[in-house]
């Protein structure tokens, strides 16, 4: 349209300010009870207490023999093996002069008050086939309570084992299983719809049409977001016209809590997404220009659609820009909605030594430079090696990148990043 | 059985030697072709080439107007908007004196040889409703080729875009979609069965029976391994007797490439798992004692079952030991089988400053101390804070741990780890 802006009417804001605006608008979607096996990767929405102590019985710390300590060293008769190791502990009682085999973790049989580890015993009498011990000798004086974990020594009955707000990883699944927590209250995860825009795009699974390129953003962002454990839906490809875009936006917004679009936000296109959002969805645009490279035209909006609050990210169409801004804004938004602990919402920042054979010239904007970390050189700090040419259309520069080195904007005093200099870097993949 | 060993007959080996033995026996399971959306997290088993150049046409780098550079600055008539942005580029040709609107990424229309960004233009004439531009002025001299990405400037036709052996993360999904790679040859992932052993164990979903504890190892390890993207199966709980164990082992081995058991490997129990494996499965025990804390009785065996090679890990039954040894041996084994690059097989080792208010006394064995990293103090190296009491039965010590700090075994010269000292640490979770 001729009325389009010749210059962006939006103020350029800093990345930190943009992130602040995003997080401010990302509110919890409430909680839901899920079977434990589906709670991995989510955040606990309740304090969890132990309904019984752990161990729930005095448990052996060693493999050996349950004994009566006051019997001292010397010979013991061995109770028949049929009843060892907790299968029916209530049926057997250790009498003076007797002992019972016991394995690590098994309940102490009644009568016994100590465990003697197998290394401190020797066999005196056994069956002809050598399979059954009849009598052993205790070589070291046992003490009452020795090699026994008392009831509740790991977890007392009624203890809080995990607090509301804990992230549920594999260890936490183990902790919750330990206390018999089969159904777990967690914060709801957002559903994220991913939509690409651009007349030049086609779905990657079909034969390439002249004048088109395959859309890589949608499969890439869907992989990234589903790898994080969010619910992800494909929103298709919208053409660069109002009718197509509005139809796609409507369909995606009715399905999702968060809508991520790519493309349609650069200078000539921006009016289209912004116009569609403001005119048809009464959306508020919170920012549409960020002082970063790549990712300058990143747009963030909110609206109410079908009675629900929706979060909308208009990411740039260049795949690298889409990827970088997804890490900086979209993933933190999802985590905020899921009530991740404050320190785990934004990408973790670490200190790195900038590697590579030659200096990199700084852009006027702070640059999120794709790199991979290497500790093999023996230095204390990891070395971040650039993935090469950082053109924002060049998706190959994301290949094997696990950090984004934050290169500061060029100033009068510094205009290049020298190899060996130390910078902050954001972790974007497993190290 | 009376014949059980009073001392372990297995030599104690170092962790590095144990890892070496494991990796040596983990061989590829071959490859398989998968639809791209199911290839995430796996390793590419073929070189992938670009079947067409990217961009496949001269593409605009900016939003603006496609022009003929030799027309110079000044007025241009604007070709009607119906045909912009690549929808039918072949139908329109830019003639001298004319221009055509073009968006970032769109194909250059025929006739044009440059793009002028919108910021370097102004509107001269437009329709009464302001919606259609009829004429504009070019304010800055265009140069042929300006603001255009030539055909193949990102990827040339026939280029290798990803090499065999690349890990497929979200960026690589994007790269593969870009070149239209809908079906991808990847290395097969192992199927891992997880089996718990112990008379004292019961499944966590049922009401606690007196003398029993809930089995947390199976849900915990299954979460950990499935989070890594491996195929995981539950193997149930075996009792501490040969019949039960052999039956469970058979069933698990026929389902899986890798079998992970927990429990049954400590001094008195060890003979049972080892005996079952050697007598009923003709397994070779490669090691059964490792110089580490926790995890000393970790057992590694291989056998051929139903004509196939099987990898067997007998992990200790204490949940923390099971978790630590799963990170050190089982995950690397799976990654080796999947042909992960060498540097990504073992957990990544970083340098950390040991935090906490007081020194920790060193064990004779090297200790894998659970800790979480913190960068908030502003020091160059992250500070690793202990998760507290490191008793190997205390699963709470795994809560929120993302590294294992490697504390060296006590020696005459050093018997404690002082706060502020620098150690290596293994990354076991997202940072
Ligand atoms: Mg576009
Ligand atoms: Mg046991």
């Amino acid at each position: 349209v001729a009325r389009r802006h010749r210059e962006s009417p939006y103020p350029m804001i800093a990345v930190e300010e943009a992130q602040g605006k995003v997080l401010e608008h990302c509110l919890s979607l409430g909680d839901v009870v899920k079977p434990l096996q589906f709670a991995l990767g989510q955040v606990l929405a309740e304090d969890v207490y132990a309904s019984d102590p752990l161990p729930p019985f005095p448990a052996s710390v060693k493999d050996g023999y349950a004994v009566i300590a006051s019997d001292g060293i010397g010979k013991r008769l061995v109770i028949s093996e049929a009843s060892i190791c907790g299968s029916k502990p209530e049926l057997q009682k250790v009498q003076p002069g007797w002992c019972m085999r016991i394995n690590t973790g098994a309940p102490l049989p009644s009568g016994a008050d100590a465990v003697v580890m197998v290394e401190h015993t020797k066999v005196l009498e056994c069956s002809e086939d050598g399979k059954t011990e009849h009598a052993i000798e205790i070589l070291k004086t046992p003490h009452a309570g020795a090699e026994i974990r008392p009831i509740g020594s790991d977890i007392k009955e009624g203890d809080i084992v995990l607090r509301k707000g804990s992230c549920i990883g594999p260890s936490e699944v183990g902790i919750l299983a330990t206390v018999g927590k089969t159904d777990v209250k967690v914060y709801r995860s957002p559903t994220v719809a991913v939509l690409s825009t651009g007349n030049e795009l086609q779905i990657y699974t079909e034969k390439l049409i002249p004048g088109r390129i395959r859309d890589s953003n949608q499969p890439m962002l869907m992989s990234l977001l589903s790898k994080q454990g969010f619910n992800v839906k494909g929103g298709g490809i919208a053409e660069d016209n109002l009718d197509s875009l509005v139809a796609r936006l409507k369909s995606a917004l009715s399905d999702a809590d968060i809508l991520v679009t790519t493309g349609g936000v650069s200078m000539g296109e921006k009016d289209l997404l912004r116009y569609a959002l403001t005119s048809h969805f009464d959306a508020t645009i919170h920012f549409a220009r960020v002082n970063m490279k790549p990712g300058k035209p990143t747009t963030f909006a909110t609206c109410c659609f079908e009675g629900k609050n929706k979060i909308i990210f208009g990411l740039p169409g260049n795949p690298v820009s889409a990827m970088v801004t997804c890490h900086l804004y979209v993933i933190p938004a999802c985590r905020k909605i899921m009530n991740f602990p404050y320190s785990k919402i934004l990408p973790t920042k670490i200190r790195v030594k900038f590697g590579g054979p030659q200096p990199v010239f700084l852009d006027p904007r702070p640059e999120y430079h794709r790199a991979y970390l290497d500790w093999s050189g023996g230095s204390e700090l990891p070395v971040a090696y650039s993935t090469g040419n950082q053109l924002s259309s060049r998706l190959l520069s994301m290949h094997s990148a696990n950090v984004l080195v934050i290169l500061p904007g060029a100033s009068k005093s510094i205009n290049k990043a020298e190899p060996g200099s130390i910078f902050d870097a954001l972790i974007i993949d497993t190290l």
Side-chain angles (χ1 to χ4, degrees), chain A:
Chain A
V1 290
R3 298 166 308 180
R4 65 179 168 160
H5 297 282
R6 303 268 131 177
E7 285 181 11
S8 176
Y10 292 97
M12 179 98 95
I13 65 174
V15 168
E16 295 70 22
E17 187 184 346
Q19 287 175 324
K21 283 177 191 274
V22 168
L23 297 184
E24 184 187 309
H25 287 91
C26 290
L27 305 177
S28 170
L29 296 169
D31 49 45
V32 60
V33 173
K34 289 194 180 178
L36 177 55
Q37 66 268 35
F38 299 116
L40 187 67
Q42 287 155 77
V43 177
L44 202 55
E46 58 176 336
D47 290 333
V48 175
Y49 297 85
S51 54
D52 25 56
L54 185 75
F57 43 72
S60 180
V61 178
K62 289 279 161 62
D63 294 318
Y65 299 87
V67 301
I68 299 171
S70 59
D71 286 350
I73 58 169
K75 178 175 174 175
R76 294 285 199 293
L77 297 173
V78 180
I79 297 174
S80 103
E81 300 218 354
S83 59
I84 64 162
C85 294
S87 48
K88 289 274 179 194
E90 66 282 11
L91 300 183
Q92 289 289 346
K93 187 174 162 142
V94 175
Q95 308 281 358
W98 288 77
C99 69
M100 191 188 284
R101 281 196 51 196
I102 192 165
N103 282 345
T104 305
L108 194 72
S110 69
D113 63 359
V115 168
V116 176
M117 58 198 283
V118 67
E119 291 90 336
H120 296 160
T121 65
K122 70 178 191 191
V123 177
L124 294 179
E125 298 160 22
C126 65
S127 62
E128 270 185 25
D129 63 3
K131 287 191 175 176
T132 311
E133 300 175 352
H134 295 317
I136 59 152
E137 184 177 348
I138 305 291
L139 305 171
K140 221 176 145 181
T141 308
H143 298 284
E147 312 293 11
I148 291 169
R149 285 190 293 141
I151 291 174
S153 54
D154 290 325
I155 302 174
K156 288 189 183 43
E157 184 175 343
D159 271 2
I160 287 194
V161 292
L162 283 179
R163 289 195 184 274
K164 189 170 164 169
S166 298
C167 290
I168 303 174
S171 305
E172 289 73 22
V173 167
I175 292 166
L176 293 167
T178 297
V179 300
K181 189 78 185 166
T182 50
D183 296 292
V184 186
K185 194 191 277 187
V186 295
Y187 293 106
R188 281 180 194 276
S189 308
T191 298
V192 188
V194 179
L195 166 62
S196 296
T197 73
N199 288 343
E200 75 278 17
L201 297 180
Q202 67 162 67
I203 188 165
Y204 77 92
T205 48
E206 285 170 10
K207 193 174 176 319
L208 192 62
I209 301 166
R212 302 287 176 108
I213 60 169
R214 299 180 189 92
D215 172 34
S216 58
N217 282 339
Q218 195 160 177
M220 178 182 76
L221 296 181
M222 289 179 71
S223 299
L224 176 61
L225 295 166
S226 63
K227 198 182 161 201
Q228 305 287 323
F230 313 136
N231 314 312
V232 185
K233 291 192 171 176
I237 299 173
E239 287 169 42
D240 289 325
N241 64 67
L242 196 60
D243 289 350
S244 170
L245 185 58
V246 167
R248 289 285 181 186
L249 289 173
K250 275 191 180 152
S251 148
L253 283 171
S254 67
D255 271 0
D257 306 297
I258 298 184
L259 170 60
V260 178
T261 69
T262 55
V265 293
S266 60
M267 187 60 67
E269 300 172 319
K270 170 189 297 157
D271 291 332
L272 190 59
L273 179 67
R274 190 202 64 157
Y275 182 72
L277 288 174
T278 51
S279 64
H280 286 68
F281 300 91
D282 199 22
T284 306
I285 311 285
H286 300 283
F287 61 80
R289 224 159 39 125
V290 188
N291 189 26
M292 64 184 290
K293 181 191 173 186
K296 187 169 77 169
T298 303
T299 296
F300 173 60
T302 53
C303 72
C304 182
F305 184 75
E306 294 173 351
K308 288 182 181 153
N309 292 320
K310 306 289 179 177
I311 300 285
I312 301 151
F313 292 96
L315 307 185
N318 266 323
V320 176
S321 313
M323 194 74 169
V324 168
T325 53
C326 191
H327 280 290
L328 263 67
Y329 305 107
V330 183
I331 293 174
C334 297
R335 290 179 175 163
K336 174 77 185 329
I337 287 174
M338 291 170 74
N339 274 310
F340 267 56
Y342 180 73
S343 66
K344 295 196 174 181
I345 288 178
L346 294 174
T348 297
K349 202 181 270 184
I350 66 169
R351 300 285 281 169
V352 301
K353 194 176 280 192
F354 195 59
Q358 56 204 17
V360 167
F361 283 92
L362 298 178
D363 192 83
R365 286 173 279 158
E367 183 186 342
Y368 291 76
H369 195 101
R370 283 76 74 199
Y372 59 92
L373 296 187
D374 180 64
W375 278 268
S376 67
S379 68
E380 303 269 286
L381 286 185
V383 179
Y385 287 103
S386 172
T387 55
N389 184 334
Q390 301 279 305
L391 260 186
S392 64
S393 61
R394 194 174 158 274
L395 187 50
L396 289 176
S397 73
M398 288 300 305
H399 175 39
S400 78
N402 52 17
V403 290
L404 299 172
V405 180
I406 307 177
L407 299 180
S411 66
K412 275 175 191 159
S413 52
I414 307 184
N415 71 345
K416 48 191 175 180
E418 299 283 353
S421 315
I422 291 170
F423 294 104
D424 284 336
L426 303 178
I427 298 175
I428 57 168
D429 201 355
T430 47
L431 296 187

